[in-house]
Amino acid sequence: MSLSASVRPLACIKQAIRQCRIERQQTRRYAVPATEAEYPSLQTRYPPPTPGFRPSQAIKQNRFETGLKKIPVVPPPRSTTKACPDPISILTNKQISVLDPTGARTRLFSPANPERVQPGDILVVRLRTGDPVSGTVLNIRQRHQPIDTAILLRNQLTRVGVEVWFKVYSPNVEGIEVVQRAVKRARRAKLYYMRQPRHDVGSVEGVVKQYLRQRSGGPLGSREANTGRKTGSKKGRK
Amino acid sequence: MPPRSGLTPFSLPPRFLCPSVPRSFTRTIRTIQPTPRTRTDRFNHGAGLPILGASKTAAFLRKEAMLPLRTGALAIKKGMTAIYDPATAKRTACTVLQLDRCQVTGHKRRDAHGYWAVQIGCGTIEARNVSRAERGNSAAQGVPLKRHVAEFRVKDAAGLPELGSIVTADLFQEGQFVDARADSRGMGFAGGMKRWGWSGQPASHGNSLSHRVMGSSGASQGSGSRVHPGKRMAGRMGGEQQTVQCLKVLRVDKENGIVVVHGAVPGPKKGIVKLQDAIKKPWPQVELSVGVSKMGSTAEALESTI
């Protein structure tokens, strides 16, 4: 259009006049209301609803029989689901308070704790039924219930890779100690790549032995330093 | 055509030989009224005779020995978790169930219905969503409206608790065994491998487009060249009632209505589970009134509204 306007200047005027005519017609159409004679079907048959009228309520009111005898309804008794909407957490919390009375282990794996165990750390797990197991944390499994929290440790025994899962709250686990934090935060939640030969850190026995030697005084099986916080403070001291 | 024999006017002997026989022949319709048929029974039963094995009475008596003495309860499946035994360090997977406003809403009597059963309702439902007939029924019984209703067979009238009494979680004792029945998860239309656990066919060795098919549906001439009834095929799987027997009750919390049972229970979370004493274990040694009481019932509120 702009091209034609530049070539033929009068055509532009013609276009503008045409536009004006259309617009005038439009305004005229909007200004004139629909008369009865023109659109009888648009006329309202009933008076308009009063302000505050809600159709959804009107439907509910109609549903109850007006002419019939009213049937009394016994009110429902006290609801246990309302009183206790999440029984599973009640059950698990009660158990955790027995299995972990000090809350140390919960803190060791709580996401709110910046000092928590993270993949790549080296841990020693003391067991009630055997020798302590050490290894690098490959995976921390947090299922929908905290009581099912578990860790996967990887180590090498006689040059053979060994991986063991431990349920954190199992009564068999007497204590969990952090031997060494990961140098850098792992950028994966599951360090399964460490199973590959080129990423395998190998045996952590030396690190654990040195840690146990550095722990002053106490015998090897001491129960005092089995919480993450105490270990952290020790690490800070050295 | 053989000669017809019958009572026709022309085949009768003369009148002087048999005067009582009517001679006028009129064509009549038989009758439109139903003839009173005497019900003849092929079977030999009566007051002094032994009960027939195929009768309803015999069926009731056969089952009577296996029926629980007490009512059961309707519970909501809340989900699964685990319980540790601190002494043995044994971890036990368990299902958490919760009783919600579980109440006796009706009785089934041997004389009126043919068997003894307790009707239990759980949950609640708004009155405007219930039909007038159902509202009238619960008002007549004096019980609140219930979202879910189920029946629990009991052995005799002693197992019928009072109408409107509330069933609480302490109906079950820790250590007792229960049967749990619930509708399993619906799997939709499933193939034969998933539905019936077939192994399927090899992936290779010349197999063509028939890795998961059902294969043959039967022999040819030897079995009558037909598919026998009950042949396992693909179809709707799940969504039907399943029973798990002899689940041990691990924890009971009356205040919160919690019942924890060992292992898995059919159906999804929030599903309704029917719990009753296990029929394959000895009945629990408790009073019949344990766990069923009128305490907390709101039946008196009905009187005030009338």
Side-chain angles (χ1 to χ4, degrees), chain B residues 40-241:
Chain B
T40 53
D41 200 336
R42 303 184 285 128
F43 301 109
N44 188 18
H45 58 80
L49 295 168
I51 303 162
L52 290 173
S55 62
K56 281 183 180 171
T57 316
F60 178 82
L61 293 174
R62 270 200 303 277
K63 287 174 192 165
E64 201 180 15
M66 297 195 302
L67 289 175
L69 307 178
R70 323 187 287 158
T71 176
L74 284 180
I76 302 165
K77 178 171 168 179
K78 284 292 183 175
M80 288 193 72
T81 180
I83 286 180
Y84 281 106
D85 182 0
T88 60
K90 188 153 169 48
R91 181 180 181 275
T92 313
C94 60
T95 307
V96 180
L97 305 162
Q98 195 176 28
L99 271 62
D100 181 35
R101 302 186 247 213
C102 207
Q103 231 172 336
V104 178
T105 57
H107 291 158
K108 289 288 153 78
R109 309 192 65 84
R110 176 95 171 100
D111 46 0
H113 309 98
Y115 59 100
W116 299 108
V118 186
Q119 192 190 51
I120 298 272
C122 84
T124 185
I125 188 167
E126 275 190 55
R128 65 185 165 90
N129 293 332
V130 180
S131 75
R132 205 175 149 77
E134 284 175 63
R135 271 185 283 141
N137 186 37
S138 47
Q141 307 276 25
V143 293
L145 299 169
K146 293 291 170 187
R147 182 170 292 275
H148 307 282
V149 173
E151 278 181 18
F152 291 92
R153 292 277 308 257
V154 288
K155 195 171 183 183
D156 47 22
L160 301 182
E162 204 180 336
L163 270 180
S165 44
I166 297 179
V167 181
T168 44
D170 61 337
L171 179 75
F172 305 107
Q173 278 67 45
E174 288 183 13
Q176 83 157 100
F177 289 87
V178 291
D179 290 346
R181 38 184 58 187
D183 282 355
S184 58
R185 282 169 197 267
M187 304 287 173
F189 193 98
M193 275 179 71
K194 179 173 173 179
R195 195 175 178 206
W196 301 109
W198 297 334
S199 338
Q201 290 176 35
S204 63
H205 293 294
N207 193 328
S208 170
L209 307 180
S210 51
H211 307 287
R212 297 181 63 93
V213 299
M214 66 176 277
S216 166
S217 58
S220 58
Q221 224 174 345
S223 67
S225 297
R226 66 197 176 92
V227 178
H228 286 275
K231 173 81 194 93
R232 290 167 174 184
M233 291 187 180
R236 279 278 182 96
M237 181 180 169
E240 58 185 7
Q241 185 174 275

Side-chain angles (χ1 to χ4, degrees), chain A:
Chain A
M1 208 172 92
S2 59
L3 187 80
S4 68
S6 61
V7 174
R8 296 158 53 202
L10 281 182
C12 184
I13 297 165
K14 193 177 177 185
Q15 181 76 28
I17 288 167
R18 195 180 288 158
Q19 190 68 34
C20 278
R21 201 187 304 146
I22 291 168
E23 269 181 23
R24 216 183 310 128
Q25 279 172 1
Q26 286 267 304
T27 49
R28 220 178 274 154
R29 198 179 297 156
Y30 288 139
V32 177
T35 55
E36 291 109 68
E38 246 185 301
Y39 301 109
S41 63
L42 286 183
Q43 292 308 304
T44 51
R45 228 179 295 168
Y46 305 107
T50 52
F53 170 79
R54 286 161 66 194
S56 60
Q57 276 199 348
I59 291 162
K60 275 176 202 167
Q61 282 155 12
N62 290 344
R63 209 183 282 174
F64 265 86
E65 312 87 344
T66 44
L68 297 174
K69 204 179 103 185
K70 199 167 183 195
I71 300 175
V73 175
V74 182
R78 171 187 165 272
S79 169
T80 47
T81 45
K82 271 186 192 156
C84 167
D86 193 1
I88 297 184
S89 68
I90 286 183
L91 188 74
T92 49
N93 290 344
K94 206 184 281 177
Q95 279 207 73
I96 286 175
S97 65
V98 173
L99 298 169
D100 181 28
T102 59
R105 221 160 290 175
T106 310
R107 230 173 295 124
L108 198 59
F109 290 92
S110 141
N113 181 12
E115 294 276 300
R116 66 182 180 275
V117 173
Q118 286 189 328
D121 295 355
I122 296 175
L123 300 189
V124 173
V125 175
R126 297 188 183 287
L127 298 176
R128 198 167 64 173
T129 55
D131 296 335
V133 178
S134 54
T136 318
V137 179
L138 289 200
N139 186 3
I140 300 168
R141 184 190 274 163
Q142 306 260 26
R143 289 277 161 87
H144 50 284
Q145 293 308 324
I147 196 149
D148 285 333
T149 307
I151 46 173
L152 176 62
L153 299 186
R154 182 180 172 86
N155 198 355
Q156 272 195 354
L157 296 178
T158 65
R159 293 204 178 172
V160 177
V162 175
E163 287 183 9
V164 196
W165 275 107
F166 287 107
K167 296 279 182 192
V168 165
Y169 289 105
S170 168
N172 263 344
V173 175
E174 283 200 331
I176 300 173
E177 293 177 38
V178 181
V179 172
Q180 195 183 58
R181 302 270 171 192
V183 182
K184 252 168 57 177
R185 185 184 65 84
R187 299 180 69 171
R188 273 142 195 77
K190 297 172 181 22
L191 310 181
Y192 291 145
Y193 65 86
M194 289 175 87
R195 291 166 175 170
Q196 295 169 15
R198 55 190 275 239
H199 293 291
D200 201 346
V201 293
S203 173
V204 297
E205 201 189 344
V207 183
V208 174
K209 250 185 189 166
Q210 197 189 356
Y211 163 77
L212 291 176
R213 218 181 299 130
Q214 280 195 351
R215 274 201 336 183
S216 55
L220 195 132
S222 126
R223 301 279 178 277
E224 291 133 31
N226 59 357
T227 67
R229 211 156 69 166
K230 281 181 179 167
T231 319
S233 63
K234 279 224 167 70
K235 270 173 63 77
R237 225 183 289 152
K238 67 183 170 184

Side-chain angles (χ1 to χ4, degrees), chain B residues 7 16 38 92 110 144 152 161 209 211 260 263 269 287 294 301:
Chain B
L7 202 73
F16 63 88
T38 51
T92 313
R110 176 95 171 100
F152 291 92
L209 307 180
H211 307 287
V260 181
K269 283 180 209 168
E287 293 288 314
K294 290 284 270 185

